Amino acid sequence: MKRYYSDPWLRNLDTKILSQHQEDDRHLVVLEETIFYPTGGGQPHDLGSVNGVSLIDVFEKDGVVFHALEHPLQGDDASCVLDWPRRLDHMQQHSGQHLLSAVFHDDYGYRTESFHLGEEYCSIDISTPSLSNEDQIAVETKVNTVVFSNLPLLTYTLSPGERGKVPLRKIPNLDADLRIVEIQGLDYSPCSGTHVSSTSQIGLVKIIKSEKYKGMTRVYFLCGDRALRDYGRKQEVCHNLGSLLSVPEEALHERMALELERKQELEKKILELTNELMDLRAQSIVAQGASPFYLESPNATIEEARQLAHSVLNLATGTVIIRLGERLVLAHNQADTLHLGQLIKEKAGPLGGRGGGNATGAQVYFPDRAGLREFLSALKIDLESD
Ligand SMILES: [Zn+2]
């Protein structure tokens, strides 16, 4: 007997073991009565334990509910304990989904094409290519009004001949009894899931976002405890940001926009100053010596070194070598046959240098300081003889 239907609030049950057998590494147990809901109708299966052994799956096959366990059970008696927070969460999300789908249908004519109840999120796909922010807010407001109205949720079974008694949105093409979940007077849905007893038990319903999906709109939502936890997380983010920026929550957006604008201005200013500094350094390098111009700049990035080399070559003719730790950036603007990429390959390669480049620009990295030193001295000699 499926006690999760007759009493969805039952959390513990003592019953009898009817059968058990092993399939692969799982032990499948059939009980006389069960409080464990099997996967179905978009709702995930329950968890919990039987005689202290944890459930790993619950599924239904040909009307029989199988409880999958890691270990076999002893004796005939079964003491069942339901993972209640998980079940209540599923009931809140599932009942919330019925309500949300009903309002989308009644107020806008959008059908719910599919429903996902996952650990991470819940969503429905509704039959509209787009959903405006105003409509989303209107639906959310209406749904929560129904929640606060505390309408009863009723479940009952209709025979094929009785189906005309209730206004079903979609009549299943099945010649069998139909289980109906009714939000009293508001919605009648064929459903095999477990549900709360009144809309107030759904708790807060919050639409998190909506997005276009295969010509439909996917609406993400949270109900009950999930919505409360999400509120808590968002509260924390707002609080932390508010403390960091020393502004009240309502001023956060404006302040952040201002900070980002300031950041962009500063970045622009830094770029201008960097360019200016490069030019000044280039002037000083050129004033101090002749080609090859050699400079050590351990904190510069490769991009900055390239820029500096470019600035030097704007002022003078020759070769520039900039050293950033174990790395060298080389460039020249001489109208001769010196090919820097080739030079790296022929002279730096045998000394352990890794790199390359083209005729007028190259870079090389030496894992070993001795190689770098040797390359530099050889390079100077080579360049001087140029
Ligand atoms: Zn349902």
Side-chain angles (χ1 to χ4, degrees):
M1 189 184 169
K2 298 168 176 175
R3 295 292 294 273
Y4 49 81
Y5 279 154
S6 55
D7 188 358
W9 297 87
L10 194 62
R11 307 179 194 190
N12 300 287
L13 177 74
D14 289 328
T15 184
K16 295 283 178 199
I17 297 167
L18 292 185
S19 72
Q20 63 176 315
H21 69 279
Q22 192 171 350
E23 240 182 57
D24 300 324
D25 52 353
R26 309 195 307 175
H27 297 267
L28 302 181
V29 175
V30 178
L31 303 170
E32 192 173 69
E33 295 187 308
T34 184
I35 49 175
F36 301 114
Y37 180 76
T39 303
Q43 188 177 324
H45 63 83
D46 283 336
L47 286 175
S49 65
V50 183
N51 296 348
V53 181
S54 294
L55 277 168
I56 45 181
D57 190 15
V58 187
F59 62 95
E60 189 171 352
K61 206 175 159 190
D62 301 326
V64 180
V65 177
F66 291 93
H67 307 78
L69 303 163
E70 268 181 37
H71 309 291
L73 298 175
Q74 309 296 324
D76 298 329
D77 295 328
S79 175
C80 306
V81 180
L82 181 63
D83 177 345
W84 177 245
R86 176 181 164 96
R87 159 68 81 70
L88 180 62
D89 173 59
H90 290 166
M91 299 208 297
Q92 286 180 323
Q93 312 312 313
H94 199 160
S95 299
Q97 177 263 312
H98 279 215
L99 178 52
L100 197 59
S101 291
V103 174
F104 269 123
H105 184 267
D106 292 351
D107 291 8
Y108 297 91
Y110 302 151
R111 291 183 315 276
T112 292
E113 304 292 1
S114 67
F115 165 44
H116 171 79
L117 199 183
E119 303 234 347
E120 298 297 316
Y121 68 90
C122 292
S123 66
I124 50 173
D125 294 335
I126 53 173
S127 62
T128 173
S130 66
L131 178 68
S132 74
N133 199 35
E134 293 78 38
D135 289 351
Q136 184 175 308
I137 292 169
V139 167
E140 188 181 276
T141 305
K142 171 101 176 263
V143 164
N144 281 290
T145 305
V146 179
V147 166
F148 303 144
S149 312
N150 197 24
L151 285 184
L153 266 89
L154 314 163
T155 52
Y156 45 86
T157 305
L158 294 180
S159 65
E162 293 172 313
R163 285 181 196 175
K165 285 182 178 176
V166 297
L168 291 176
R169 281 201 291 272
K170 197 162 65 178
I171 297 172
N173 202 9
L174 257 174
D175 196 24
D177 284 355
L178 209 56
R179 184 168 179 269
I180 304 293
V181 176
E182 175 183 347
I183 302 172
Q184 197 174 55
L186 186 104
D187 179 57
Y188 306 82
S189 294
C191 179
S192 62
T194 55
H195 287 270
V196 295
S197 317
S198 70
T199 55
S200 62
Q201 290 165 339
I202 296 169
L204 183 69
V205 179
K206 185 73 195 158
I207 297 177
I208 296 300
K209 63 170 180 177
S210 60
E211 62 190 22
K212 292 179 193 308
Y213 179 76
K214 291 184 177 175
M216 302 177 285
T217 298
R218 180 159 283 182
V219 180
Y220 296 84
F221 64 96
L222 301 167
C223 301
D225 221 38
R226 285 194 191 201
L228 189 65
R229 285 200 302 272
D230 186 59
Y231 187 6
R233 277 194 297 270
K234 282 170 179 155
Q235 172 91 8
E236 201 184 327
V237 170
C238 285
H239 175 80
N240 290 344
L241 275 180
S243 305
L244 211 60
L245 297 166
S246 304
V247 291
E249 228 172 273
E250 54 275 19
L252 268 180
H253 182 259
E254 201 183 330
R255 179 62 189 273
M256 273 311 291
L258 207 70
E259 289 293 334
L260 286 174
E261 207 176 293
R262 239 155 112 192
K263 182 173 166 278
Q264 276 178 347
E265 278 170 19
L266 285 173
E267 281 170 354
K268 208 174 138 207
K269 192 87 201 154
I270 287 173
L271 192 67
E272 285 169 11
L273 288 172
T274 307
N275 288 340
E276 232 171 88
L277 182 68
M278 291 295 172
D279 287 346
L280 286 172
R281 290 180 80 182
Q283 282 169 26
S284 126
I285 292 165
V286 172
Q288 274 169 28
S291 175
F293 303 104
Y294 175 69
L295 176 80
E296 299 199 349
S297 188
N299 297 322
T301 62
I302 292 174
E303 201 40 56
E304 284 164 355
R306 279 203 193 115
Q307 202 187 336
L308 181 58
H310 183 74
S311 300
V312 170
L313 297 179
N314 270 343
L315 299 172
T317 300
T319 301
V320 186
I321 305 155
I322 300 169
R323 185 181 150 210
L324 323 163
E326 267 61 56
R327 196 178 294 273
L328 298 176
V329 170
L330 304 96
H332 83 81
N333 60 352
Q334 288 158 290
D336 56 24
T337 52
L338 174 66
H339 191 292
L340 290 174
Q342 230 165 324
L343 183 83
I344 297 294
K345 204 172 159 193
E346 286 164 13
K347 305 268 181 186
L351 298 171
R354 293 198 291 265
N358 55 29
T360 56
Q363 56 164 301
V364 60
Y365 171 76
F366 288 91
D368 165 37
R369 179 63 61 94
L372 174 74
R373 199 174 292 133
E374 207 173 319
F375 175 69
L376 265 179
S377 67
L379 189 62
K380 278 179 184 171
I381 294 161
D382 280 352
L383 288 168
E384 274 160 12
S385 67
D386 241 355

